[in-house]
mmCIF file of all heavy atoms in Angstrom:
data_model
loop_
_atom_site.group_PDB
_atom_site.id
_atom_site.type_symbol
_atom_site.label_atom_id
_atom_site.label_comp_id
_atom_site.label_asym_id
_atom_site.label_seq_id
_atom_site.Cartn_x
_atom_site.Cartn_y
_atom_site.Cartn_z
ATOM 1 N N THR A 126 52.052 33.014 19.189
ATOM 2 C CA THR A 126 51.170 32.227 20.053
ATOM 3 C C THR A 126 51.880 32.035 21.383
ATOM 4 O O THR A 126 52.881 31.321 21.459
ATOM 5 C CB THR A 126 50.840 30.868 19.421
ATOM 6 O OG1 THR A 126 50.190 31.079 18.174
ATOM 7 C CG2 THR A 126 49.932 30.058 20.329
ATOM 8 N N ILE A 127 51.376 32.711 22.417
ATOM 9 C CA ILE A 127 52.023 32.675 23.722
ATOM 10 C C ILE A 127 50.969 32.544 24.830
ATOM 11 O O ILE A 127 49.767 32.609 24.574
ATOM 12 C CB ILE A 127 52.876 33.943 23.964
ATOM 13 C CG1 ILE A 127 52.012 35.214 23.861
ATOM 14 C CG2 ILE A 127 54.045 33.997 22.993
ATOM 15 C CD1 ILE A 127 52.752 36.498 24.239
ATOM 16 N N PRO A 129 48.488 33.566 27.546
ATOM 17 C CA PRO A 129 47.723 34.804 27.733
ATOM 18 C C PRO A 129 48.267 35.689 28.840
ATOM 19 O O PRO A 129 48.216 36.917 28.747
ATOM 20 C CB PRO A 129 46.318 34.297 28.074
ATOM 21 C CG PRO A 129 46.235 32.947 27.446
ATOM 22 C CD PRO A 129 47.614 32.373 27.547
ATOM 23 N N ASP A 148 47.241 41.882 21.663
ATOM 24 C CA ASP A 148 47.616 40.531 21.228
ATOM 25 C C ASP A 148 46.687 40.158 20.079
ATOM 26 O O ASP A 148 45.480 40.383 20.142
ATOM 27 C CB ASP A 148 47.548 39.514 22.368
ATOM 28 C CG ASP A 148 46.232 39.536 23.151
ATOM 29 O OD1 ASP A 148 46.001 40.528 23.855
ATOM 30 O OD2 ASP A 148 45.457 38.561 23.052
ATOM 31 N N PRO A 150 47.014 36.882 17.819
ATOM 32 C CA PRO A 150 47.516 35.651 17.195
ATOM 33 C C PRO A 150 46.655 35.256 16.005
ATOM 34 O O PRO A 150 45.553 35.768 15.813
ATOM 35 C CB PRO A 150 47.405 34.622 18.334
ATOM 36 C CG PRO A 150 46.326 35.159 19.217
ATOM 37 C CD PRO A 150 46.453 36.644 19.154
ATOM 38 N N VAL A 151 47.186 34.341 15.200
ATOM 39 C CA VAL A 151 46.532 33.997 13.937
ATOM 40 C C VAL A 151 46.254 32.499 13.823
ATOM 41 O O VAL A 151 46.887 31.679 14.475
ATOM 42 C CB VAL A 151 47.396 34.422 12.733
ATOM 43 C CG1 VAL A 151 47.668 35.913 12.782
ATOM 44 C CG2 VAL A 151 48.716 33.644 12.680
ATOM 45 N N SER A 152 45.300 32.192 12.951
ATOM 46 C CA SER A 152 45.025 30.813 12.561
ATOM 47 C C SER A 152 44.920 30.773 11.038
ATOM 48 O O SER A 152 44.504 31.749 10.426
ATOM 49 C CB SER A 152 43.720 30.317 13.190
ATOM 50 O OG SER A 152 43.457 28.975 12.808
ATOM 51 N N THR A 164 42.997 34.168 9.986
ATOM 52 C CA THR A 164 42.053 34.657 10.989
ATOM 53 C C THR A 164 42.866 35.267 12.123
ATOM 54 O O THR A 164 43.780 34.621 12.651
ATOM 55 C CB THR A 164 41.183 33.510 11.534
ATOM 56 O OG1 THR A 164 40.325 33.041 10.496
ATOM 57 C CG2 THR A 164 40.335 33.976 12.703
ATOM 58 N N PHE A 165 42.565 36.506 12.479
ATOM 59 C CA PHE A 165 43.227 37.176 13.598
ATOM 60 C C PHE A 165 42.280 37.220 14.788
ATOM 61 O O PHE A 165 41.106 37.585 14.646
ATOM 62 C CB PHE A 165 43.622 38.608 13.225
ATOM 63 C CG PHE A 165 44.859 38.692 12.374
ATOM 64 C CD1 PHE A 165 44.776 38.576 10.991
ATOM 65 C CD2 PHE A 165 46.108 38.894 12.940
ATOM 66 C CE1 PHE A 165 45.905 38.653 10.199
ATOM 67 C CE2 PHE A 165 47.252 38.976 12.158
ATOM 68 C CZ PHE A 165 47.146 38.849 10.778
ATOM 69 N N MET A 166 42.790 36.865 15.958
ATOM 70 C CA MET A 166 42.031 36.900 17.202
ATOM 71 C C MET A 166 42.622 37.992 18.080
ATOM 72 O O MET A 166 43.738 37.845 18.584
ATOM 73 C CB MET A 166 42.116 35.532 17.884
ATOM 74 C CG MET A 166 41.428 34.428 17.096
ATOM 75 S SD MET A 166 42.052 32.757 17.447
ATOM 76 C CE MET A 166 43.272 32.567 16.134
ATOM 77 N N VAL A 167 41.903 39.099 18.220
ATOM 78 C CA VAL A 167 42.471 40.308 18.826
ATOM 79 C C VAL A 167 42.026 40.476 20.273
ATOM 80 O O VAL A 167 40.829 40.420 20.587
ATOM 81 C CB VAL A 167 42.080 41.557 18.013
ATOM 82 C CG1 VAL A 167 42.731 42.809 18.606
ATOM 83 C CG2 VAL A 167 42.474 41.392 16.548
ATOM 84 N N GLY A 168 43.003 40.735 21.156
ATOM 85 C CA GLY A 168 42.730 41.055 22.542
ATOM 86 C C GLY A 168 43.121 42.494 22.830
ATOM 87 O O GLY A 168 44.284 42.873 22.638
ATOM 88 N N THR A 189 38.722 39.183 14.325
ATOM 89 C CA THR A 189 37.718 39.061 15.389
ATOM 90 C C THR A 189 38.219 39.661 16.690
ATOM 91 O O THR A 189 39.337 39.367 17.133
ATOM 92 C CB THR A 189 37.368 37.575 15.617
ATOM 93 O OG1 THR A 189 36.862 37.018 14.407
ATOM 94 C CG2 THR A 189 36.319 37.437 16.708
ATOM 95 N N HIS A 190 37.371 40.494 17.303
ATOM 96 C CA HIS A 190 37.689 41.048 18.625
ATOM 97 C C HIS A 190 37.235 40.041 19.674
ATOM 98 O O HIS A 190 36.042 39.776 19.809
ATOM 99 C CB HIS A 190 36.979 42.390 18.809
ATOM 100 C CG HIS A 190 37.362 43.084 20.079
ATOM 101 N ND1 HIS A 190 36.529 43.971 20.720
ATOM 102 C CD2 HIS A 190 38.493 43.010 20.830
ATOM 103 C CE1 HIS A 190 37.135 44.425 21.809
ATOM 104 N NE2 HIS A 190 38.321 43.852 21.898
ATOM 105 N N CYS A 191 38.175 39.483 20.417
ATOM 106 C CA CYS A 191 37.869 38.413 21.367
ATOM 107 C C CYS A 191 37.614 38.916 22.782
ATOM 108 O O CYS A 191 37.136 38.155 23.629
ATOM 109 C CB CYS A 191 39.013 37.408 21.401
ATOM 110 S SG CYS A 191 39.284 36.583 19.823
ATOM 111 N N GLY A 192 37.931 40.186 23.039
ATOM 112 C CA GLY A 192 37.754 40.722 24.380
ATOM 113 C C GLY A 192 38.974 41.501 24.816
ATOM 114 O O GLY A 192 39.702 42.054 23.977
ATOM 115 N N GLY A 193 39.223 41.535 26.120
ATOM 116 C CA GLY A 193 40.322 42.314 26.674
ATOM 117 C C GLY A 193 41.685 41.703 26.418
ATOM 118 O O GLY A 193 41.828 40.683 25.725
ATOM 119 N N GLY A 195 44.904 39.638 26.321
ATOM 120 C CA GLY A 195 45.139 38.219 26.554
ATOM 121 C C GLY A 195 44.065 37.312 25.986
ATOM 122 O O GLY A 195 44.281 36.101 25.853
ATOM 123 N N MET A 196 42.896 37.875 25.630
ATOM 124 C CA MET A 196 41.807 37.029 25.147
ATOM 125 C C MET A 196 42.037 36.527 23.723
ATOM 126 O O MET A 196 41.520 35.484 23.339
ATOM 127 C CB MET A 196 40.474 37.779 25.237
ATOM 128 C CG MET A 196 39.984 38.011 26.663
ATOM 129 S SD MET A 196 39.804 36.467 27.635
ATOM 130 C CE MET A 196 41.363 36.440 28.543
ATOM 131 N N GLY A 197 42.812 37.261 22.946
ATOM 132 C CA GLY A 197 43.202 36.739 21.630
ATOM 133 C C GLY A 197 44.030 35.479 21.807
ATOM 134 O O GLY A 197 43.828 34.470 21.127
ATOM 135 N N GLN A 198 44.967 35.541 22.746
ATOM 136 C CA GLN A 198 45.815 34.373 23.014
ATOM 137 C C GLN A 198 45.009 33.226 23.615
ATOM 138 O O GLN A 198 45.267 32.054 23.305
ATOM 139 C CB GLN A 198 46.957 34.764 23.960
ATOM 140 C CG GLN A 198 47.967 35.724 23.363
ATOM 141 C CD GLN A 198 48.731 35.139 22.199
ATOM 142 O OE1 GLN A 198 48.667 33.927 21.926
ATOM 143 N NE2 GLN A 198 49.459 35.973 21.484
ATOM 144 N N ALA A 199 44.040 33.539 24.458
ATOM 145 C CA ALA A 199 43.196 32.482 25.032
ATOM 146 C C ALA A 199 42.460 31.741 23.920
ATOM 147 O O ALA A 199 42.391 30.503 23.912
ATOM 148 C CB ALA A 199 42.205 33.081 26.028
ATOM 149 N N ALA A 200 41.914 32.501 22.959
ATOM 150 C CA ALA A 200 41.211 31.872 21.840
ATOM 151 C C ALA A 200 42.162 31.024 21.012
ATOM 152 O O ALA A 200 41.830 29.907 20.590
ATOM 153 C CB ALA A 200 40.562 32.951 20.959
ATOM 154 N N LYS A 201 43.375 31.529 20.779
ATOM 155 C CA LYS A 201 44.338 30.810 19.947
ATOM 156 C C LYS A 201 44.798 29.515 20.610
ATOM 157 O O LYS A 201 44.904 28.475 19.967
ATOM 158 C CB LYS A 201 45.549 31.707 19.656
ATOM 159 C CG LYS A 201 46.639 31.027 18.821
ATOM 160 C CD LYS A 201 46.139 30.607 17.449
ATOM 161 C CE LYS A 201 47.130 29.740 16.702
ATOM 162 N NZ LYS A 201 48.371 30.438 16.348
ATOM 163 N N VAL A 202 45.058 29.580 21.895
ATOM 164 C CA VAL A 202 45.516 28.378 22.607
ATOM 165 C C VAL A 202 44.458 27.282 22.548
ATOM 166 O O VAL A 202 44.767 26.107 22.291
ATOM 167 C CB VAL A 202 45.883 28.727 24.068
ATOM 168 C CG1 VAL A 202 46.048 27.461 24.898
ATOM 169 C CG2 VAL A 202 47.165 29.542 24.112
ATOM 170 N N CYS A 203 43.194 27.654 22.777
ATOM 171 C CA CYS A 203 42.118 26.657 22.718
ATOM 172 C C CYS A 203 41.960 26.117 21.300
ATOM 173 O O CYS A 203 41.744 24.914 21.097
ATOM 174 C CB CYS A 203 40.814 27.269 23.211
ATOM 175 S SG CYS A 203 40.817 27.689 24.965
ATOM 176 N N ASN A 204 42.054 26.992 20.303
ATOM 177 C CA ASN A 204 41.946 26.565 18.911
ATOM 178 C C ASN A 204 43.061 25.586 18.552
ATOM 179 O O ASN A 204 42.826 24.558 17.902
ATOM 180 C CB ASN A 204 42.000 27.775 17.984
ATOM 181 C CG ASN A 204 41.953 27.371 16.518
ATOM 182 O OD1 ASN A 204 40.905 27.036 15.978
ATOM 183 N ND2 ASN A 204 43.112 27.381 15.867
ATOM 184 N N ASN A 205 44.289 25.893 18.977
ATOM 185 C CA ASN A 205 45.407 25.022 18.608
ATOM 186 C C ASN A 205 45.370 23.690 19.343
ATOM 187 O O ASN A 205 45.852 22.677 18.824
ATOM 188 C CB ASN A 205 46.736 25.741 18.838
ATOM 189 C CG ASN A 205 47.106 26.596 17.642
ATOM 190 O OD1 ASN A 205 46.229 27.014 16.885
ATOM 191 N ND2 ASN A 205 48.383 26.873 17.463
ATOM 192 N N MET A 206 44.797 23.684 20.531
ATOM 193 C CA MET A 206 44.607 22.398 21.190
ATOM 194 C C MET A 206 43.643 21.543 20.369
ATOM 195 O O MET A 206 43.872 20.346 20.158
ATOM 196 C CB MET A 206 44.084 22.579 22.615
ATOM 197 C CG MET A 206 43.981 21.258 23.381
ATOM 198 S SD MET A 206 43.568 21.442 25.125
ATOM 199 C CE MET A 206 41.827 21.818 25.016
ATOM 200 N N MET A 207 42.569 22.165 19.883
ATOM 201 C CA MET A 207 41.625 21.452 19.024
ATOM 202 C C MET A 207 42.302 20.969 17.750
ATOM 203 O O MET A 207 42.064 19.850 17.272
ATOM 204 C CB MET A 207 40.455 22.379 18.679
ATOM 205 C CG MET A 207 39.346 21.745 17.861
ATOM 206 S SD MET A 207 38.402 20.507 18.781
ATOM 207 C CE MET A 207 38.940 18.988 18.020
ATOM 208 N N LEU A 208 43.185 21.804 17.186
ATOM 209 C CA LEU A 208 43.916 21.437 15.969
ATOM 210 C C LEU A 208 44.770 20.195 16.189
ATOM 211 O O LEU A 208 44.764 19.263 15.380
ATOM 212 C CB LEU A 208 44.792 22.613 15.530
ATOM 213 C CG LEU A 208 45.686 22.403 14.311
ATOM 214 C CD1 LEU A 208 44.861 22.172 13.058
ATOM 215 C CD2 LEU A 208 46.610 23.605 14.123
ATOM 216 N N VAL A 284 47.737 26.651 31.155
ATOM 217 C CA VAL A 284 46.574 27.496 31.477
ATOM 218 C C VAL A 284 45.400 26.647 31.961
ATOM 219 O O VAL A 284 44.571 27.114 32.739
ATOM 220 C CB VAL A 284 46.166 28.383 30.281
ATOM 221 C CG1 VAL A 284 47.283 29.354 29.937
ATOM 222 C CG2 VAL A 284 45.769 27.567 29.068
#
Side-chain angles (χ1 to χ4, degrees):
T126 300
I127 58 174
D148 50 291
V151 302
S152 180
T164 293
F165 282 86
M166 294 156 266
V167 183
T189 301
H190 186 207
C191 298
M196 290 303 97
Q198 293 296 349
K201 178 61 189 294
V202 167
C203 293
N204 177 77
N205 275 25
M206 185 173 76
M207 184 69 252
L208 177 65
V284 297

